[in-house]
Amino acid sequence: MDVLSQGKAAVFNEPIGPRGVIVEERERTSVRTGQVAVAIRSAALNHLDLWLISGAQRVQPPRVLGADGAGVVAESGTQRWKPGDEVVIYPVSCCWQCDACRAGKQVLCPQFGILGEHTEGTACELLHVPAQNVYPKPAALSWDEAAAFPLTFLTAWRMIVTRARLRAGETMLVVGAGAGVAAAAIAIGRYLGARILATSRSETKRRRAMELGAEATFDSSGFSKPVREASGGGVDVVFEHVGPATLDESLRSIRRGGRIVFCGSTTGVKAELNMPRLFFGQTDLLGSTMGNAGEFAEVLKAINDGMRPQVDSAFPLQEVVAALERLDQAEQFGKVTLQVSR
Ligand SMILES: [Zn+2]
């Protein structure tokens, strides 16, 4: 897929962390047929950007950062959009033509990727993307909020709704509640009418999780016992993105027939599993990454129904290094955004 990042852009230039990112001017061109040029108002950073700029994703610089963006259509190569339309970007890159894409299963496209990782990204003045990547911006959201939700809410929505099939009245444990995707999970769980429990090492983040609607929170060490007590014998679903450091406790936290769904493994790539616990417990272990266009449309509908993302802080595009350092300190709750043009 062809994604072009134009005008002023935050560019991963050297794999040395935040200071390897520079802001530079890129060539502007006319939009091609089937594409839309979006004047980005706000872009948002993800943990993915930190991995990328440290060299961990094996992406060769230069690469414009950012999966998340919202803005105004500046030029359109399609009937579907006209200049002035306010839009958000579906953060997946795919071919839009293969059997999987045409069946609405973009996550299974052989060319599946993420904006700002597998293609150029949203942290720029003018983003050219296929018309299929563009959706109407929810009117109630500010530009920073509109940039804050796409990747995390899409990821958490597919995990919770499509994969784990969480239902109203069920209980979900969100592990590592400070992460952007975990804050999205709490918001989605509450929207669905589920009971939410959460864990975090940080007392501040546990308090923020309660403010978002968690019913009880626990310290990250040895959380399974109090979780089983608080949930009357175990939760229905565990929302995981931490991996080896918490997986055993997560497994001990679910009831028989429960589900663990995970989208990441921030503490390492290999984990040890207690197999009898898994099979005697009738446990479903579900992997998930990003989400389909149809799932993105469902997230938009839930936002239009009142679900809200959390913005931690906003930096001007020029201060992208400071914004990445804020993310690197892991003290944020919610998204760190880049304000591009106003
Ligand atoms: Zn495809």
Side-chain angles (χ1 to χ4, degrees):
M1 132 170 171
D2 302 307
V3 177
L4 300 172
S5 303
Q6 305 191 336
K8 259 193 208 69
V11 183
F12 160 47
N13 198 44
E14 224 186 321
I16 55 168
R19 302 208 161 266
V21 176
I22 57 170
V23 176
E24 66 175 22
E25 186 74 29
R26 299 205 146 194
E27 185 196 5
R28 292 170 191 255
T29 56
S30 275
V31 79
R32 282 187 287 174
T33 304
Q35 291 222 326
V36 174
V38 179
I40 298 290
R41 294 293 178 88
S42 250
L45 295 171
N46 289 284
H47 206 88
L48 177 65
D49 296 298
L50 290 179
W51 284 324
L52 191 86
I53 63 178
S54 69
Q57 301 297 102
R58 282 172 283 181
V59 170
Q60 290 304 312
R63 170 63 43 86
V64 176
L65 296 178
D68 289 324
V72 179
V73 172
E75 195 189 348
S76 179
T78 160
Q79 298 286 327
R80 280 164 61 179
W81 298 101
K82 60 181 193 311
D85 288 343
E86 297 189 342
V87 298
V88 290
I89 312 289
Y90 169 58
V92 165
S93 75
C94 59
C95 78
W96 293 112
Q97 287 164 2
C98 70
D99 289 348
C101 280
R102 281 185 290 135
K105 296 178 178 171
Q106 286 77 24
V107 295
L108 301 180
C109 173
Q111 292 177 42
F112 168 85
I114 304 175
L115 298 197
E117 183 185 7
H118 304 96
T119 69
E120 297 289 26
T122 56
C124 64
E125 285 183 309
L126 200 62
L127 183 75
H128 292 225
V129 283
Q132 295 97 319
N133 277 80
V134 175
Y135 283 79
K137 168 188 169 284
L141 298 191
S142 69
W143 286 113
D144 287 326
E145 287 173 328
F149 80 83
L151 185 143
T152 51
F153 275 74
L154 175 65
T155 301
W157 186 273
R158 177 171 170 79
M159 290 171 75
I160 295 168
V161 177
T162 309
R163 302 289 278 144
R165 299 175 185 277
L166 181 72
R167 289 181 292 272
E170 286 193 319
T171 304
M172 175 167 70
L173 172 69
V174 178
V175 172
V181 72
I186 296 173
I188 292 168
R190 293 299 298 141
Y191 172 76
L192 295 172
R195 294 173 59 196
I196 307 296
L197 308 177
T199 75
S200 175
R201 280 177 299 187
S202 147
E203 199 192 323
T204 313
K205 291 182 180 183
R206 291 200 294 272
R207 199 168 54 238
R208 293 296 305 272
M210 299 285 282
E211 287 163 14
L212 283 187
E215 171 179 314
T217 59
F218 309 94
D219 187 72
S220 297
S221 63
F223 58 78
S224 62
K225 195 159 174 278
V227 164
R228 279 202 308 276
E229 279 165 14
S231 57
V235 298
D236 300 287
V237 171
V238 178
F239 184 97
E240 253 286 354
H241 58 95
V242 179
T246 51
L247 195 54
D248 190 56
E249 282 294 295
S250 291
L251 255 179
R252 290 169 185 271
S253 297
I254 46 174
R255 65 161 174 82
R256 282 190 165 207
R259 299 86 85 191
I260 298 188
V261 61
F262 53 97
C263 65
S265 181
T266 49
T267 53
V269 293
K270 287 186 182 171
E272 212 167 83
L273 277 174
N274 181 318
M275 297 304 291
R277 200 176 285 286
L278 206 56
F279 57 77
F280 281 126
Q282 307 284 353
T283 306
D284 286 339
L285 208 52
L286 305 162
S288 191
T289 198
M290 300 295 283
N292 298 318
E295 289 158 334
F296 193 65
E298 289 170 17
V299 168
L300 285 166
K301 183 181 175 300
I303 287 174
N304 287 324
D305 279 352
M307 190 172 73
R308 287 290 173 272
Q310 298 292 313
V311 176
D312 170 78
S313 45
F315 293 78
L317 179 66
Q318 288 292 349
E319 292 172 26
V320 60
V321 172
L324 287 161
E325 282 170 346
R326 169 80 189 151
L327 200 61
D328 201 19
Q329 286 154 6
E331 278 164 15
Q332 86 287 355
F333 195 97
K335 305 296 292 177
V336 176
T337 66
L338 297 171
Q339 299 182 327
V340 181
S341 64
R342 288 299 140 109

